[in-house]
């Protein structure tokens, strides 16, 4: 417990220091410091979580597939948004569970099905992003300009990833790395669906704008 508190304290200290430095250098406005600090904290926690999953993947023997999965997942998730748990511990448990599902799928899905899952990923992700992106956490408000920027970037990322999947399944049939990449994209769209359902059940709005 003491080690955990020390880690949280160090993370907060780093985010406070960086945000204050950015204010001093006039890179960000003082009123944006809290938002910046939240973003830095989120980034630090996310990096630590992903590193722990990659270490676990190293022991389970699917490090390269997991790395490819995150190459597709991380950029799209950053701009498209998706489900956020109510606590960091819950978020990490979900991440581990998703990794467990990913590992299971790698083992049980026949290679002949890779093409169908890849195409399904492209279709579902395209629908979710064009219809709802970005889906922003209720803890973070964004204005219309930021919403437009996030949406534009995630559409371009989605198009590039979809092109990679299509080229991959047409030229490298039944390849586990293309399959892993498509699962990374698919995970983002499923996260967006989960966020949409959670928001509707709680009576909130998809995006809170300022």
């Amino acid at each position: 417990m003491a080690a955990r508190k020390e880690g949280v304290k160090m993370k907060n200290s780093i985010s406070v220091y960086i945000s204050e430095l950015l204010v001093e250098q006039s890179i960000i406005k003082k009123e944006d410091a809290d938002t910046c600090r939240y973003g830095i904290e989120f980034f630090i926690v996310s990096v630590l979580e992903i590193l722990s999953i990659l270490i676990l993947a190293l022991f389970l023997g699917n490090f390269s597939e997991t790395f490819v999965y995150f190459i597709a997942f991380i950029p799209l998730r950053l701009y498209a948004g998706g489900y956020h748990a109510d606590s960091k511990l819950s978020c990490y448990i979900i991440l581990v569970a998703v990794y467990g599902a990913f590992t299971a799928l790698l083992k049980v899905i026949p290679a002949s099905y890779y093409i169908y899952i890849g195409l399904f990923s492209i279709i579902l992700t395209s629908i979710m992003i064009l219809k709802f992106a970005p889906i922003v956490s209720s803890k973070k408000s964004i204005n219309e300009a930021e919403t437009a920027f996030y949406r534009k970037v995630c559409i371009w990322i989605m198009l590039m990833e979809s092109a990679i999947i299509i080229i991959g399944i047409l030229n490298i049939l039944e390849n586990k790395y293309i399959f892993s990449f498509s699962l990374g994209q698919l995970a983002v769209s499923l996260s967006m669906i989960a966020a949409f359902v959670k928001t509707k059940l709680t009576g909130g709005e998809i995006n809170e704008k300022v």
Side-chain angles (χ1 to χ4, degrees), residues 16-30:
V16 169
Y17 172 77
I18 294 175
S19 60
E20 289 180 349
L21 182 63
L22 292 174
V23 171
E24 289 176 5
Q25 298 296 322
S26 299
I27 297 175
I28 63 172
K29 298 178 181 179
K30 187 174 182 179

Side-chain angles (χ1 to χ4, degrees), residues 76 125-133 151 154-155 158:
L76 193 58
T125 304
S126 299
I127 292 172
M128 290 305 299
I129 286 179
L130 293 175
K131 182 69 175 177
F132 300 111
R151 180 174 177 80
C154 74
I155 288 175
M158 179 266 292

Side-chain angles (χ1 to χ4, degrees), residues 44 81 143 147 166 196:
I44 293 173
N143 57 40
T147 298
I166 291 172
F196 178 81

Side-chain angles (χ1 to χ4, degrees), residues 103-169:
T103 301
L105 289 173
L106 281 177
K107 293 182 178 297
V108 303
I109 297 295
S112 58
Y113 282 71
Y114 289 178
I115 183 172
Y116 303 112
I117 293 175
L119 293 175
F120 175 72
S121 171
I122 292 172
I123 294 170
L124 182 60
T125 304
S126 299
I127 292 172
M128 290 305 299
I129 286 179
L130 293 175
K131 182 69 175 177
F132 300 111
I135 295 180
V136 182
S137 167
S138 59
K139 297 180 181 179
K140 179 184 178 184
S141 296
I142 61 174
N143 57 40
E144 292 184 3
E146 290 172 324
T147 298
F149 175 75
Y150 276 50
R151 180 174 177 80
K152 181 179 179 180
V153 173
C154 74
I155 288 175
W156 275 108
I157 294 173
M158 179 266 292
L159 290 173
M160 287 188 290
E161 290 189 356
S162 297
I164 290 172
I165 294 172
I166 291 172
I167 293 171
I169 60 180

